[in-house]
Amino acid sequence: MARKYFLTAIVLAALALTVGCPKKKPKNGSEDNKLDLESKVKIYNEGFFWRDYETISLMVLPSRRRDFLNYCEELGRGYTQDEFKIMEIQMNPTKDKAVVVVKRKFIMPPSVILQTKEITQEWVLYEGEWYLSGPPY
């Protein structure tokens, strides 16, 4: 009898973990848009940090992907990013474009000195997803 309750408890716990709790939806779609953008920007820049260029190329507009992969190939294996920080995200009024400022610390051979550079990325909403629109990558 105890075994029956134990198995029932495990099944219910697994079901609860699978289904999860319902999320409270924001009042307007623009908040969802910004959250989606923030997470996409973070994932992209973490991928850049780890030099996972093939994977993050999928976050670049399809028309710019080849250019992005060529850029990454030019960076070579010597480029080493120490850290990055997302400084600012500004969305345009129509919520379909955004400017993102990222600060990167990196070493780029032949230099061995840690450099800091702020780049401004432009992101666009294309077919319902956020994509990096082009350089700077």
Side-chain angles (χ1 to χ4, degrees), residues 63-112:
S63 61
R64 303 300 305 208
R65 257 181 220 146
R66 179 58 30 215
D67 181 46
F68 170 76
L69 290 170
N70 288 339
Y71 170 78
C72 294
E73 192 173 307
E74 288 176 20
L75 282 178
R77 299 293 303 162
Y79 174 86
T80 305
Q81 190 169 310
D82 186 55
E83 65 181 78
F84 74 91
K85 182 177 182 181
I86 299 167
M87 304 299 289
E88 181 179 6
I89 296 178
Q90 290 184 351
M91 216 176 268
N92 73 348
T94 58
K95 309 291 186 210
D96 62 347
K97 293 181 182 175
V99 173
V100 178
V101 178
V102 179
K103 184 186 282 187
R104 290 182 179 159
K105 292 186 180 184
F106 61 93
I107 297 174
M108 182 67 171
S111 175
V112 293

Side-chain angles (χ1 to χ4, degrees), residues 1-16:
M1 184 77 147
R3 184 178 176 147
K4 180 180 173 185
Y5 290 118
F6 178 73
L7 289 174
T8 303
I10 287 183
V11 169
L12 289 174
L15 183 61

Side-chain angles (χ1 to χ4, degrees), residues 33-81:
N33 235 359
K34 186 161 183 172
L35 290 174
D36 290 345
L37 175 61
E38 286 178 30
S39 61
K40 195 89 168 224
V41 167
K42 185 177 180 191
I43 291 167
Y44 171 84
N45 283 285
E46 285 174 352
F48 202 90
F49 175 86
W50 291 107
R51 293 186 262 184
D52 189 5
Y53 303 132
E54 284 292 324
T55 301
I56 64 172
S57 72
L58 300 175
M59 296 180 189
V60 176
L61 271 175
S63 61
R64 303 300 305 208
R65 257 181 220 146
R66 179 58 30 215
D67 181 46
F68 170 76
L69 290 170
N70 288 339
Y71 170 78
C72 294
E73 192 173 307
E74 288 176 20
L75 282 178
R77 299 293 303 162
Y79 174 86
T80 305
Q81 190 169 310

